[in-house]
Amino acid sequence: LQSTFDLDTYMAILAAEVEVALEEFLPAEGKYLGRVGEAMRYSVFPGGKRFRPVLALAACEAVGSARERAVPVGAAFEMIHCFSLIHDDLPCMDNDDERRGRPTNHKVFGEDIALLAGDGLAIWAFDAITRVPDDLSGKVIRQLVQELAHASGHLGMVGGQVIDLAAQHKQATHAEELRVIHECKTGALIRGAVRCGALVGGADEDTLYRLTVYGEKIGLVFQITDDILDAGTDPEPVSFPAVYGMEESKRLAREAVQEALEQIRPLGDKGVALESLAKFLLTRTT
Ligand code: IPE
Ligand code: IPE
Ligand code: MG
Ligand code: MG
């Protein structure tokens, strides 16, 4: 089955499903909205890989449920992701002029509106995630909201950004700190997207646990690959290639993918998409 599975097509189909929801959820023009709606949309459309939403839908499907049920979850995680990128690019953070091949949000809309567009996306993600199907219990919806908060906030992405900043100022990091940075700043949203997709799909406890470990492993791989792609000839001081060296970084990534695959083995054929998504991280070029 693996040989007939076309990941590019699969990712494009799932991304398109989430696109429709993002289009519907995000503000259009509003009388008093000024440019903030436009600025929110600017950083969401056209998107990047839509990796987190694809994972949420794939996890939902992998536990035997219809993946459309997880579309609001995917949209919510993508909003948080885009918010994190807007703020990450600001002059007070990484001070970047380009993102996804075009000017960063603040270059187009100014720092004030960029800040607010990020805030707007962060907050609206919590509206989006509650738009899951009505037949889900209040308990599951509460879990989804908590998962999103934990993955995004000081225990997740925000926390990771803080440790990352501190390490950047020192111009150095060590293995343990690097792992925590990666687990939080990138890993938490990836893990959370997988978990929330699985929760909407009604995963049993053992499967949810396995998918959580899967999410943690691929979250790590995602950021190792990101560091490798960013490295060129001169790796950033706070990165896997700087701390472990290039070859060892690649080996660690391959090892983590194997560990992720081990977790989803019991899913059998239903795990094919998650398997391909994990392997894709080793060869991705963007
Ligand atoms: C880039 O994330 C920033 C990190 C969190 C490492 P992605 O590589 O998922 O960015 P897009 O959404 O595809 O542009
Ligand atoms: C971005 O991290 C990750 C978040 C915004 C949480 P980086 O600063 O390492 O990634 P790029 O290079 O800007 O995409
Ligand atoms: Mg950064
Ligand atoms: Mg950055």
Side-chain angles (χ1 to χ4, degrees), residues 48-50 52 78 81 85 99-100 186 222-223 226 284:
K49 295 175 287 303
R50 305 286 198 221
R52 296 149 193 80
E78 187 65 15
H81 170 58
L85 298 178
R99 165 77 57 193
R100 296 173 176 155
T186 317
F222 189 93
Q223 187 63 49
D226 209 66
R284 75 186 179 100

Side-chain angles (χ1 to χ4, degrees), residues 27-41:
E29 279 165 41
K31 193 168 171 199
Y32 298 108
L33 217 47
R35 296 192 80 193
V36 82
E38 195 191 333
M40 288 162 77
R41 285 174 167 272

Side-chain angles (χ1 to χ4, degrees), residues 122-140:
I123 289 161
W124 209 235
F126 286 85
D127 178 274
I129 205 162
T130 64
R131 301 195 198 194
V132 286
D134 282 339
D135 59 19
L136 287 170
S137 69
K139 183 181 167 208
V140 169

Side-chain angles (χ1 to χ4, degrees), residues 133-237:
D134 282 339
D135 59 19
L136 287 170
S137 69
K139 183 181 167 208
V140 169
I141 295 171
R142 183 169 67 238
Q143 277 178 311
L144 294 174
V145 170
Q146 286 177 340
E147 290 281 343
L148 186 64
H150 284 235
S152 312
H154 59 281
L155 299 175
M157 183 274 293
V158 167
Q161 288 283 63
V162 173
I163 315 169
D164 188 36
L165 281 179
Q168 304 281 354
H169 287 307
K170 286 190 300 185
Q171 282 286 300
T173 187
H174 51 81
E176 156 117 28
E177 186 179 56
L178 188 65
R179 226 161 241 278
V180 177
I181 292 173
H182 282 26
E183 273 168 22
C184 295
K185 104 171 168 176
T186 317
L189 285 181
I190 289 176
R191 172 187 188 271
V194 172
R195 276 177 63 84
C196 286
L199 281 168
V200 169
D204 61 53
E205 221 158 278
D206 177 59
T207 308
L208 184 61
Y209 174 76
R210 287 177 166 280
L211 288 177
T212 302
V213 179
Y214 165 89
E216 287 168 358
K217 298 292 176 193
I218 65 165
L220 182 69
V221 179
F222 189 93
Q223 187 63 49
I224 297 177
T225 320
D226 209 66
D227 285 359
I228 292 172
L229 287 172
D230 282 349
T233 47
D234 185 21
E236 305 260 335

